[in-house]
Amino acid sequence: MNVGSGELLIVALSASDQDTHKEVMNYLVDSGLRSTLVTTEETCLTKIQDLSPDLIIYFLWNSTSLLDSSEFIQTIKTSAPDVAIIAIAQFSDTKLVQPALVKGADDYLISPIADYALLDHIVAKNLRLSKERSTRMIEGQKLAGLNQQLEESLRVLERDQRAGFEVQLAMLPKSPYKVGDVTFTHKIIPSVILSGDFIDYFKFADDRLLFYIADVSGHGASSAFVTVLLKNLSQRLSREYERLGLNCTAAILEWFNQELLSSELAQHVTMFMGIVDVDRGVLEYSNAAHFPGTIFSSKEKTEFLEIGGLPLGLYENPSYETNVLELPSQFTLVMFSDGIFDVMQQQTLKAKEDFLLGLVEDGTCTVGSLSDHLGLGVVKDAPDDIALFTIARAA
Amino acid sequence: MANGKLLVAEKDGVHVLKFVGDVRVTLGPTIDAFLTSLLETEDFKSVIIDLTETKGIDSTSLGFLAKISIGAQDSFGIVPTIVSTNDDITRILLSMGFDQVFLIIREPLESTVKMGEVPFKNMPEEDLRKKVLEAHQVLMQLNEDNQNTFRDLVVALQREQESSTVH
């Protein structure tokens, strides 16, 4: 019978039963296996190193302690964990088999070997076992290597993205930012590392304060690139406001829309934009599909400002409404991006909106307190970016 | 896509897109390819977007819907129809200003009888009624043999894309 090919090590540490050792060895050599007989522990270990055997046949021997003859199996296992071990016990010593199996033998035979077909079968089976084990180990090592490479690439990518986020943070306006008694505060929690939510504000030459919150469709790097464009547009707006001749927030949104359209992006942008005019005591604002609605809160009332309006960067000629709101001496505007809904527990969108409004109505209207109440400090793996933005005027 | 499916079907030139579950589209280019092929269809009559089984819809999918509306209006002068019976979804559609670019039907399919009562502006009542009725009829016919008529758009597109990259 063909038992397969391989390197065999026959370990016979006891001088007794030498006839069986030889008989088994001769039989296996005749079967075409390369076999080496070792009779001391030391040569056994050396040969394991030199030959890397595929199979070890280990003869157990009778002694005063049951464990004596199988103790060394453990040592073999340590130096060659893959190799299969067949223990052979004499017919009179079958009690030796169990400790040998416990110590790591894979199979056993009883000598004298009455049935060589059984020996063939067991040798062939254990040769396969050894080969499978070593293939598994090689593949395991290969996988571990790949895994390590992957982790390394991931670390590099992540480091790269973090560097990108640093750039993005640098594009965001200072927070908190105080102009007179008006304070702007914001916080952005990206779902990956880079964010598609964006916030900007600045002062015009005539002291009016322009602000917006924007949400680029999608999230991650591709959306983050669009925020760079938004920042660029706000800088142009700030520098060239007079020349551009945009006399209201609706006109500014239309201008943003044209600029985004001409960039032919795959994304669109929702944006809520307002201009705070402290001298005249008014807020002028327009919405381009930003949701949830901006919450306006004063001593008298707390309410959502209008939602709707078409998003930027999709339609050729959308028109937007400019709304004007009289500002009391004390007020707060609270804005979110829709990512906030994903981390809220309420069942319906309406309930979520009501909850946000209720929070602000009850006086939770700073970025810090809102973030605490909504558990944003502990948010991990949010499906969408989350932005929080408040503008407050103290009396 | 998380737990959602995007299904398509066609009946007598009326194309139906059905968003099922929580739809988060990541297949930007393939979706665009679909849009192009949709608008190049010869017997194109109209588009109905069925959001009655939609649990969630992400911004990319909304952008896709907006592009369908723009394409249908530019190429055929047709305002596409959205059927949305989930209040949360309807609110998101309104937040996107979709009432300006779609005919939004909020009635569930069973109430075809009351169709005349669906309130709508900017469209003569007769036209509106016809359109709404048509939408409902197409959807109801499709619903009867849902499994056979609809095919998974994303899976289909992926397959097409794979075979085109092989060649």
Side-chain angles (χ1 to χ4, degrees):
Chain A
M1 181 190 159
N2 181 15
V3 293
S5 63
E7 188 74 50
L8 212 67
L9 193 63
I10 296 173
V11 186
L13 300 180
S14 157
S16 64
D17 203 18
Q18 287 191 9
D19 291 345
T20 315
H21 307 163
K22 291 227 172 67
E23 193 186 319
V24 168
M25 177 151 159
N26 290 337
Y27 177 79
L28 291 170
V29 169
D30 287 346
S31 305
L33 294 166
R34 284 187 302 279
S35 305
T36 310
L37 179 72
V38 289
T39 53
T40 67
E41 295 183 358
E42 201 189 338
T43 46
C44 174
L45 293 179
T46 318
K47 288 291 174 193
I48 285 174
Q49 289 306 317
D50 294 350
L51 303 172
S52 331
D54 300 305
L55 182 64
I56 291 178
I57 295 194
Y58 188 94
F59 285 93
L60 299 165
W61 67 91
N62 201 354
S63 89
T64 43
S65 161
L66 270 185
L67 271 177
D68 277 357
S69 72
S70 41
E71 287 288 8
F72 190 60
I73 292 178
Q74 207 166 12
T75 314
I76 295 177
K77 272 278 159 195
T78 319
S79 69
D82 293 344
V83 69
I85 301 174
I86 300 171
I88 298 185
Q90 289 191 20
F91 183 71
S92 52
D93 300 327
T94 48
K95 58 187 183 302
L96 296 175
V97 169
Q98 192 266 349
L101 292 176
V102 168
K103 290 290 172 187
D106 295 282
D107 227 326
Y108 72 95
L109 281 165
I110 303 295
S111 79
I113 312 272
D115 180 0
Y116 275 87
L118 179 66
L119 176 65
D120 284 345
H121 173 75
I122 298 226
V123 165
K125 188 183 103 185
N126 284 282
L127 270 175
R128 276 201 307 276
L129 178 71
S130 274
K131 278 173 189 159
E132 274 164 23
R133 276 192 197 147
S134 73
T135 314
R136 245 200 324 270
M137 195 163 94
I138 290 166
E139 272 168 10
Q141 280 165 346
K142 231 190 267 174
L143 264 180
L146 279 176
N147 215 5
Q148 205 178 357
Q149 272 176 27
L150 207 65
E151 272 171 27
E152 182 55 30
S153 312
L154 201 65
R155 259 198 298 278
V156 171
L157 262 177
E158 202 175 300
R159 209 167 41 224
D160 232 37
Q161 291 239 328
R162 291 212 182 280
F165 187 54
E166 290 301 316
V167 174
Q168 206 171 24
L169 285 179
M171 293 192 323
L172 286 164
K174 203 178 116 201
S175 170
Y177 169 67
K178 243 172 116 69
V179 189
D181 48 12
V182 180
T183 309
F184 296 75
T185 317
H186 66 77
K187 176 175 183 158
I188 289 180
I189 302 155
S191 91
V192 195
I193 296 171
L194 291 162
S195 167
D197 285 356
F198 195 64
I199 286 161
D200 206 3
Y201 37 79
F202 57 84
K203 195 167 78 167
F204 284 125
D206 60 8
D207 283 349
R208 290 183 308 150
L209 301 160
L210 179 132
F211 67 90
Y212 66 80
I213 179 168
D215 185 348
V216 181
S217 64
H219 60 85
S222 61
S223 306
F225 291 136
V226 180
T227 67
V228 181
L229 185 59
L230 292 178
K231 180 68 184 180
N232 182 263
L233 291 177
S234 24
Q235 282 173 337
R236 269 176 63 195
L237 184 66
S238 154
R239 272 198 313 267
E240 305 170 30
Y241 182 66
E242 297 286 328
R243 197 184 65 75
L244 291 167
L246 306 166
N247 56 6
C248 59
T249 46
I252 301 174
L253 286 187
E254 280 154 24
W255 178 73
F256 263 85
N257 185 61
Q258 277 313 315
E259 294 296 323
L260 288 172
L261 266 185
S262 64
S263 307
E264 293 183 10
L265 304 165
Q267 292 94 337
H268 61 267
V269 179
T270 70
M271 183 183 283
F272 178 89
M273 175 179 282
I275 296 176
V276 176
D277 189 334
V278 178
D279 293 342
R280 281 171 56 221
V282 293
L283 166 72
E284 179 188 317
Y285 65 89
S286 298
N287 199 350
H290 191 76
F291 187 61
T294 296
I295 300 174
F296 171 76
S297 181
S298 68
K299 272 184 184 156
E300 286 74 37
K301 62 183 174 186
T302 298
E303 61 184 6
F304 276 115
L305 300 181
E306 292 85 345
I307 60 162
L310 293 168
L312 305 171
L314 279 172
Y315 303 93
E316 282 296 337
N317 289 304
S319 64
Y320 296 98
E321 281 172 29
T322 299
N323 303 284
V324 178
L325 185 74
E326 266 188 50
L327 289 176
S329 57
Q330 212 177 327
F331 71 88
T332 308
L333 289 163
V334 179
M335 288 157 269
F336 300 94
S337 65
D338 62 0
I340 193 72
F341 292 136
D342 292 329
V343 296
M344 292 176 73
Q345 303 305 317
Q346 290 75 13
Q347 290 301 309
T348 67
L349 199 53
K350 175 86 170 59
K352 290 178 183 183
E353 290 185 80
D354 288 347
F355 184 81
L356 292 178
L357 192 69
L359 268 185
V360 176
E361 196 158 26
D362 294 342
T364 312
C365 50
T366 63
V367 165
S369 61
L370 282 165
S371 173
D372 288 346
H373 264 84
L374 295 162
L376 300 186
V378 292
V379 162
K380 272 216 173 85
D381 302 323
D384 196 4
D385 308 317
I386 302 170
L388 249 83
F389 180 21
T390 64
I391 302 171
R393 185 185 186 192
Chain B
M1 212 180 301
N3 302 307
K5 254 185 185 310
L6 186 47
L7 304 173
V8 284
E10 188 265 342
K11 179 143 190 76
D12 307 328
V14 181
H15 296 260
V16 180
L17 264 99
K18 193 177 171 83
F19 287 66
V20 181
D22 192 4
V23 185
R24 291 171 193 265
V25 174
T26 44
L27 289 161
T30 44
I31 288 290
D32 282 345
F34 166 75
L35 188 61
T36 314
S37 72
L38 174 74
L39 297 172
E40 280 168 1
T41 314
E42 282 189 11
D43 63 341
F44 185 93
K45 259 175 69 189
S46 64
V47 188
I48 298 169
I49 291 138
D50 181 356
L51 302 184
T52 53
E53 287 174 45
T54 311
K55 297 230 156 40
I57 187 162
D58 70 336
S59 54
T60 311
S61 305
L62 289 167
F64 170 52
L65 291 185
K67 282 176 191 161
I68 290 179
S69 166
I70 294 168
Q73 289 189 50
D74 288 354
S75 310
F76 305 97
I78 286 166
V79 178
T81 303
I82 291 184
V83 183
S84 168
T85 47
N86 175 339
D87 287 343
D88 285 2
I89 299 295
T90 308
R91 183 139 182 87
I92 292 170
L93 300 179
L94 295 178
S95 85
M96 285 288 285
F98 276 7
D99 48 340
Q100 294 179 48
V101 291
F102 284 98
L103 172 69
I104 302 179
I105 301 174
R106 301 191 212 180
E107 297 287 305
L109 281 178
E110 296 77 49
S111 61
T112 352
V113 252
K114 291 188 292 181
M115 210 58 70
E117 294 164 19
V118 180
F120 230 86
K121 17 168 207 201
N122 305 335
M123 210 190 247
E125 202 185 326
E126 190 53 32
D127 288 3
L128 173 76
R129 191 177 310 181
K130 248 172 64 190
K131 209 160 181 212
V132 170
L133 209 62
E134 180 194 62
H136 280 262
Q137 272 165 356
V138 170
L139 285 182
M140 287 221 293
Q141 283 166 6
L142 288 179
N143 273 2
E144 282 165 17
D145 43 355
N146 226 334
Q147 295 302 321
N148 307 325
T149 333
F150 280 101
R151 59 176 194 148
D152 188 325
L153 174 63
V154 177
V155 171
L157 287 175
Q158 272 171 335
R159 212 170 288 142
E160 276 161 27
Q161 208 178 40
E162 274 160 23
S163 61
S164 71
T165 46
V166 170
H167 297 306

